[in-house]
Amino acid sequence: SPLSLRTMTRPMMILMMLAGGLSLGTLANGYERVDSALELRSPDCDLFTTCDECAGSTSWSGTACRWCPYPKDNSCHAYGSLANPCSSDDQVTSVDTCVAKVVPKQVHIAMAGESVGTGMSVMWQTYLQSDSPVVRYGISSTDLSLTKNGSSNWYYEEGSYNHLAVLSGLSPGTTYYYQAGDASLESYSETFSFTTPKATATEPLKIAVVGDMGRAQFESGDVISSLASHAKSDAYDFFMVFGRYRIC
């Protein structure tokens, strides 16, 4: 069947135009010879280095550029590019989607610090790379003026980005409110809270322990619902998990 503009790569288009009798000096609108080399005057998608630049631009073929957020790629591609490892569901083609994919997800915490109640690790994920991962926090939900810069990493070439910020110098037995996000984009999670353990226990410590959350098809939702219900009624002071878990 005949090739369409959407399915042709740039070299294929050039060869077809040459076969049709066009000269290298005046190939078509947007092409011309420069120092004996063929130069494309329209922007190439691979020239864009950020999701915003890429998703808001049009390639030389007239189609929207596509940003692939996979950690192993993290670059811009033209429509139909064989170099694009992203699936159609994962690639980004609009600026609004760029913003949505840097919103923190799966925010969770773990106790940290050498002294009881003085530290807390905050972890979260994003679909896009975060240039300024940070946690802002405070003892009031309306005053999150304290900040802690985080670090980023990834474990799967086609997965999400993982971020970590370790809060230190906290006061034992105190409730803190916090948000995780990106400082440069002003994109943050909803406000969460935690209460640090007391330095000296005045009553027995209640701990919920789980070996494995299971999988969706094996009633993992029931486990999460039960833990959430007990947490709301203050049935335990903190939760410890030894196996795999996912709270979305």
Side-chain angles (χ1 to χ4, degrees), residues 36-66:
S36 301
L38 186 66
E39 182 176 292
L40 184 63
R41 291 302 190 185
S42 305
D44 275 326
C45 292
D46 56 11
L47 298 179
F48 302 115
T49 58
T50 67
C51 184
D52 288 356
E53 291 176 342
C54 175
S57 301
T58 302
S59 72
W60 59 271
S61 65
T63 56
C65 295
R66 284 149 168 75

Side-chain angles (χ1 to χ4, degrees), residues 63-120:
T63 56
C65 295
R66 284 149 168 75
W67 182 263
C68 178
Y70 289 169
K72 70 174 182 181
D73 187 77
N74 201 43
S75 59
C76 192
H77 301 276
Y79 176 85
S81 170
L82 297 179
N84 184 359
C86 269
S87 67
S88 57
D89 291 335
D90 290 339
Q91 59 192 5
V92 182
T93 57
S94 74
V95 175
D96 288 343
T97 306
C98 290
V99 175
K101 283 185 175 290
V102 81
V103 173
K105 61 173 184 170
Q106 296 193 27
V107 180
H108 53 290
I109 58 176
M111 287 190 293
E114 295 183 0
S115 301
V116 176
T118 62
M120 190 69 70

Side-chain angles (χ1 to χ4, degrees), residues 122-161:
V122 182
M123 295 150 282
W124 69 99
Q125 292 184 340
T126 57
Y127 284 115
L128 285 181
Q129 182 176 344
S130 176
D131 294 327
S132 305
V134 69
V135 170
R136 55 185 187 184
Y137 63 103
I139 58 175
S140 169
S141 60
T142 58
D143 182 14
L144 306 179
S145 56
L146 300 174
T147 60
K148 180 65 177 181
N149 293 331
S151 58
S152 301
N153 206 335
W154 54 273
Y155 303 102
Y156 301 101
E157 292 184 343
E158 298 179 0
S160 302
Y161 294 86

